[in-house]
Amino acid sequence: MIEFINLTKTYPNGLTALSNINLKIEKGEFVFIVGASGAGKSTLIKLILREIVPTSGTILVKGKNLAKMKRREIPLLRRNIGVVFQDFRLLNERTVYENVAFAMEVVEASRKEIRRQVPMVLSLVGLSSKAKMLPSQLSGGEQQRVALARAIVNNPSILIADEPTGNLDPDTAWEIIGLLNEINCRGTTVIMATHARDIVNSLRKRVVTFDRGVIVNDRQRGEYPDEA
Ligand code: ADP
């Protein structure tokens, strides 16, 4: 599904954020990416989204070499990858329904598809009754549910969650993790960058640990490493 081969990313200022990374993530996996701040987690995510390109080496997403991807192919790639962030990134002037619908409008889905799909994902994240509200009228956990609904509304095969629980209290964080797990069980590959030790330790999924740009640990049914 996603493969990094001998991948190095050096930023224009000369800083090497990732160094000779080899990593393969299979379809349907749930993978935690952990590591101290500056370890290279965000760089990894930006590479998958093709916001940046490698300095050397290869990244394949569904068999496609991203460095060789044409500009016009990028929207299709991004349609296939849902993303949620720590800070939700919702459109504050738009309702819950409109926020989710917007993700479908961007990829030119038909009005019929939008009318069918948006209520379905809002129901999946438990927000059917809040469709007409604005983000400012919701709790943090509810806002993250909207962001999740928006991330999955186009049925992506990959969901990337970058510190999705970083702004949430523990109970709410667990609700979001429950949803990520459910989305994973429905077949979506989930990649989650996190510092949430408790969550990593109780889910016992694959844990890939980065330290200063290299992978220092890659464990199935892993735990949060002491050093990260
Ligand atoms: P993490 O997400 O694990 O905190 P990052 O991928 O953001 O790590 O950063 C890895 C390293 O790359 C850090 O040393 C950071 O300062 C550096 N870095 C990140 N983005 C840039 C950039 N645009 N230009 C230069 N250096 C960067």
Side-chain angles (χ1 to χ4, degrees), residues 102-177:
F102 185 71
M104 296 190 75
E105 288 161 10
V106 170
V107 299
E108 292 172 359
S110 70
R111 288 174 59 183
K112 191 175 159 201
E113 279 177 282
I114 294 174
R115 275 201 301 266
R116 190 188 57 204
Q117 187 73 0
V118 176
M120 214 162 75
V121 288
L122 285 179
S123 155
L124 178 70
V125 301
L127 282 182
S128 299
S129 64
K130 311 237 159 151
K132 294 198 170 110
M133 292 195 170
L134 293 170
S136 60
Q137 297 172 304
L138 303 178
S139 70
E142 288 168 340
Q143 290 184 54
Q144 192 61 300
R145 286 166 187 256
V146 180
L148 255 182
R150 179 180 62 182
I152 60 170
V153 74
N154 290 318
N155 284 321
S157 48
I158 300 165
L159 177 64
I160 294 178
D162 191 357
E163 284 275 2
T165 62
N167 281 338
L168 305 176
D169 62 68
D171 287 351
T172 313
W174 280 111
E175 288 170 20
I176 295 298
I177 294 302

Side-chain angles (χ1 to χ4, degrees), residues 11-13 15-17 35-44 46 162 195:
Y11 284 109
N13 66 356
L15 195 137
T16 297
S37 181
K41 306 181 295 295
S42 305
T43 300
L44 187 90
K46 286 183 186 145
D162 191 357
H195 288 113

Side-chain angles (χ1 to χ4, degrees), residues 152-223:
I152 60 170
V153 74
N154 290 318
N155 284 321
S157 48
I158 300 165
L159 177 64
I160 294 178
D162 191 357
E163 284 275 2
T165 62
N167 281 338
L168 305 176
D169 62 68
D171 287 351
T172 313
W174 280 111
E175 288 170 20
I176 295 298
I177 294 302
L179 283 171
L180 286 175
N181 216 356
E182 188 173 334
I183 291 163
N184 177 244
C185 287
R186 290 165 179 243
T188 306
T189 306
V190 175
I191 301 167
M192 172 168 161
T194 187
H195 288 113
R197 180 179 293 270
D198 294 356
I199 290 170
V200 171
N201 286 347
S202 51
L203 262 73
R204 306 308 299 262
K205 303 285 191 187
R206 181 177 176 192
V207 181
V208 181
T209 308
F210 284 78
D211 182 21
R212 284 163 288 184
V214 299
I215 294 175
V216 292
N217 220 318
D218 183 351
R219 297 247 159 86
Q220 297 295 337
R221 299 180 53 77
E223 286 190 46

